[in-house]
Each structure stands twice: as C-alpha cells, then as structure tokens.
Amino acid sequence: EVQLLESGGGLVQPGGSLRLSCAASGFTFSDYAMSWVRQAPGKGLDWVSAISGSGGSTYYADSVKGRFTISRDISKNTLFLQMHSLRAEDTAVYYCAKGHISGWYFYIDCWGQGTLVTVSS
Amino acid sequence: DIQMTQSPSTLSASVGDRVTITCRASQSISSWLAWYQQRPGKAPKLLIYKASSLESGVPSRFSGSGSGTEFTLTISSLQPDDFATYYCQQYNSYWTFGQGTKVEIK
C-alpha cells in the first residue's frame, strides 16, 4: 500500500524558514515524480513544486520561486521542501503527492494527509 | 500559463440526482485532465485521469468526458458520500487546478 507521511509543519514567524519532509513507502520511490500542493484555509488547491523521479527536473510556482527548494533522498525514500523567507500568504496545509509516472507531466494518484504551516508573528 | 475555470462554484443537489460539473481550459490541453474529490478535512482523492479514465476503485457512477478545452465530470446518481468539493487539474503544461466546485445537500 502506498503511503505518504508528511512532517515538519508548524508555526513560524514571517521571514523564517521551515523544512517539510515526506516519508514514502509502498512503491519504488525513484520511479515516480513527486510534488507539493498546498491549500490555504478555506481555499482551493495550489500547485507549489514538483520533482521528477530522477530528481533531475524541478518546477516551482512563481509565488515560491527563489524561496522554496524541492529535493528528494532516494536512499531514504523521502521528499523535502525547504522553505525560506516565509510570508503570511504561505500559510496552508501542505500535501505531499505522488505522480503517476517518473517524468513530466503527471497527475497525482496518491496524496499524504497534509501538514499545516502557519506563518504568523 | 493555462487557466482552469470550473462551473458552478457551488451546486445544491439531492441524493439520487444526476450532477454535472464543467471545467474549461484557457487553451487546448488535449485530454490531459484529472478530477479529484476532497471531503472536508481530508486529502484529495483521484477520481478520473486522462479526461475519461476511471481510477481503480472509484464507483462507476463517476464519469468524465471532453477534450481540448471543455470537460465535464458527471455523477449519475448522487450518494451521501459524494457531498464534497471537486477539482479539475490540467497536466498538459505544468499543472493547474480549477478553483473547485462544492456539491452540497439541497
């Protein structure tokens, strides 16, 4: 069974940093692209970042480009999202999500349960 | 960037109703469209991919159609579990979600 377990969310001050992790199991991690999707309170889904199965290709939404970095550790079956210069508008539940293929472009066939990031002073 | 627009934003319906949600793309995306269901407080769940392919385990009352710029998600007979928010998502050029359609009890 595919499982995605996010961690690392919490309360952070504006301008601060946070690193999210997503532990993956139940599939060959390097064979699938992965992504982070967020959802602000009461709002819709917002694609944040994606990384190919090999890790050689990455994508960032304009709203996070230059502030967030996606990476993956294939040896640990773990996806990361390093977030810097956090803003109030980054407050959201962040979902780790598995693509249906290794490359671009993919749909999401499995989602984690989400981790809440709150940016506030 | 490709924009996705869903209509309606909210839909009131009763158990047993046939429900249709529309999703329009700002440019052609061929059939590279997925539909997700999200129940309150839960993660989204894949229903349909490639515009009309039903994900394994999803009830057959859900169906998708369309290509190019116009797509529909149909629930043939609404069940209590189906009251949720539905999102379309294109994966033709990067990724974009529609704003969501909330299906509520009439």
Side-chain angles (χ1 to χ4, degrees):
Chain A
E1 180 192 4
V2 173
Q3 290 195 338
L4 301 171
L5 187 62
E6 302 98 333
S7 61
L11 175 63
V12 61
Q13 291 189 339
S17 299
L18 213 54
R19 187 172 87 152
L20 305 183
S21 300
C22 171
S25 61
F27 63 102
T28 304
F29 187 59
S30 58
D31 283 352
Y32 296 93
M34 299 291 293
S35 65
W36 290 96
V37 175
R38 69 185 178 184
Q39 187 169 36
K43 302 298 184 182
L45 301 172
D46 181 30
W47 201 290
V48 174
S49 184
I51 187 167
S52 61
S54 67
S57 297
T58 57
Y59 163 85
Y60 299 95
D62 287 345
S63 58
V64 307
K65 204 172 291 184
R67 300 187 299 124
F68 290 11
T69 302
I70 191 171
S71 62
R72 62 194 302 163
D73 184 335
I74 292 172
S75 68
K76 295 181 179 178
N77 286 356
T78 303
L79 177 72
F80 300 101
L81 186 68
Q82 178 68 54
M83 304 185 292
H84 294 296
S85 303
L86 283 161
R87 306 166 180 167
E89 54 265 36
D90 296 318
T91 294
V93 173
Y94 284 72
Y95 292 103
C96 169
K98 172 186 168 291
H100 79 285
I101 55 174
S102 175
W104 270 202
Y105 292 97
F106 56 88
Y107 59 85
I108 294 169
D109 62 7
C110 186
W111 300 70
Q113 86 290 347
T115 187
L116 177 62
V117 173
T118 303
V119 184
S120 174
S121 54
Chain B
D1 292 6
I2 298 176
Q3 308 302 317
M4 306 300 291
T5 304
Q6 289 181 231
S7 60
S9 295
T10 306
L11 188 160
S12 297
S14 303
V15 172
D17 284 354
R18 181 182 182 86
V19 164
T20 298
I21 299 169
T22 298
C23 178
R24 288 187 174 87
S26 59
Q27 64 190 71
S28 177
I29 58 170
S30 185
S31 295
W32 305 121
L33 184 97
W35 289 97
Y36 303 90
Q37 176 194 65
Q38 186 178 33
R39 297 190 178 104
K42 300 294 186 183
K45 171 190 168 184
L46 176 67
L47 298 175
I48 301 281
Y49 61 93
K50 207 174 178 184
S52 61
S53 296
L54 192 68
E55 172 69 349
S56 176
V58 173
S60 59
R61 63 180 180 273
F62 291 93
S63 64
S65 65
S67 67
T69 62
E70 187 147 341
F71 303 85
T72 59
L73 173 70
T74 299
I75 309 172
S76 60
S77 178
L78 201 64
Q79 298 303 299
D81 272 353
D82 303 338
F83 291 98
T85 301
Y86 295 84
Y87 295 92
C88 63
Q89 176 238 320
Q90 67 83 15
Y91 52 103
N92 177 76
S93 175
Y94 299 110
W95 303 269
T96 318
F97 290 101
Q99 82 279 15
T101 295
K102 183 178 180 180
V103 176
E104 59 181 26
I105 300 173
K106 190 172 186 178

